Amino acid sequence: MNLRSSSTALLLPALVLLAGSATSGQVGASPSLAEVLQRVGERVEQYFTRAQSIVCIEIVGLMPVDFSSLTRSRTVESELRLSWEPTEENPAPIEARTLRQVIKVNGHAPRKNDHDNCTAPEQTTSEVQPLSMLLPQQRHEYSFKLAGAARIDNRAAILLDYRMVDKPSVTSELVNGNEECVSFTVDGGMRGRVWIDAETFDVLRMDQGLLGLVDIPLPRKAANRARWASWTMERWDTSIRFKPVTFQEPAETLVLPVSSTSFRITRGAGTPRIRTTTQYSSYRRFITGGRVLPPQ
């Protein structure tokens, strides 16, 4: 039985345009937890404000690790951009979102009625930006603690550990009525670590994984077909790396994601073990302007 899954989660299902801009600064005494959260939150908000003019190409490769799986590897290429829309009534939105437009699947234009399009990037056109968790409006949903210092990419970094306060809750549904394609959302039950530049407070790396086993209830039709009521997710580890990207005219450097990896083990699924690699490239920045014309 080849039940496949297209999964989205509160954090890290598809990750791009996540970090703030790089600037110079002075490194002082070791900051407190409150100061780290304030500084990194400010950087994320500044980034969300500025990054709406940036688009990039996301190339996701999905490879089954279990060779007995009936699912073949798949490559999905998409164009991504950020949506962050403060208003007078809501000057600090609780989250930013990533918007996705699929361009190619396995090197070709997407096909209509493709029975194998059961992947997260093909089924998810909009999702919460993961670094939204560092905004003040969302911090109450997490428990944070400082975890020391390290070096990454020749930069001094502050380690920030977190875990979600809420226990995991899962919702699932069939995708387009396809009994072999189940989409599910895991909310809560995650823990992770963030590497924060000690000088600029930009995010340099972000890891996340499950706190424990998570049961995924199947929709009735899928459960009847598979002859069991749920899957059990044993592992879901994700890591994202960020590096400076330089733009010209005008010159500007932003710290942006360049790659991410994910490994998931789900007991009962048609593809029980799957590794996902994602590359972010071809960053483009659009600078717009306007002027007021005199009345004719």
Side-chain angles (χ1 to χ4, degrees), residues 29-77:
S30 298
S32 65
L33 175 60
E35 183 180 356
V36 170
L37 291 175
Q38 178 182 349
R39 295 285 298 276
V40 72
E42 289 172 351
R43 297 296 285 171
V44 170
E45 186 168 345
Q46 291 168 9
Y47 171 75
F48 286 167
T49 300
R50 298 170 63 189
Q52 294 182 82
S53 61
I54 296 174
V55 298
C56 79
I57 297 298
E58 172 198 63
I59 300 179
V60 181
L62 303 104
M63 175 68 70
V65 178
D66 184 356
F67 294 102
S68 65
S69 171
L70 299 179
T71 304
R72 295 175 294 178
S73 60
R74 196 169 179 87
T75 301
V76 182
E77 181 177 337

Side-chain angles (χ1 to χ4, degrees), residues 89-124:
E89 297 77 14
N90 184 20
I94 192 172
E95 64 188 25
R97 300 193 70 84
T98 297
L99 306 181
R100 176 183 289 106
Q101 176 67 49
V102 176
I103 301 172
K104 296 180 181 179
V105 178
N106 290 340
H108 303 283
R111 295 184 292 116
K112 293 183 178 180
N113 303 320
D114 186 348
H115 189 74
D116 295 324
N117 67 350
C118 188
T119 70
E122 291 174 274
Q123 297 298 334
T124 309

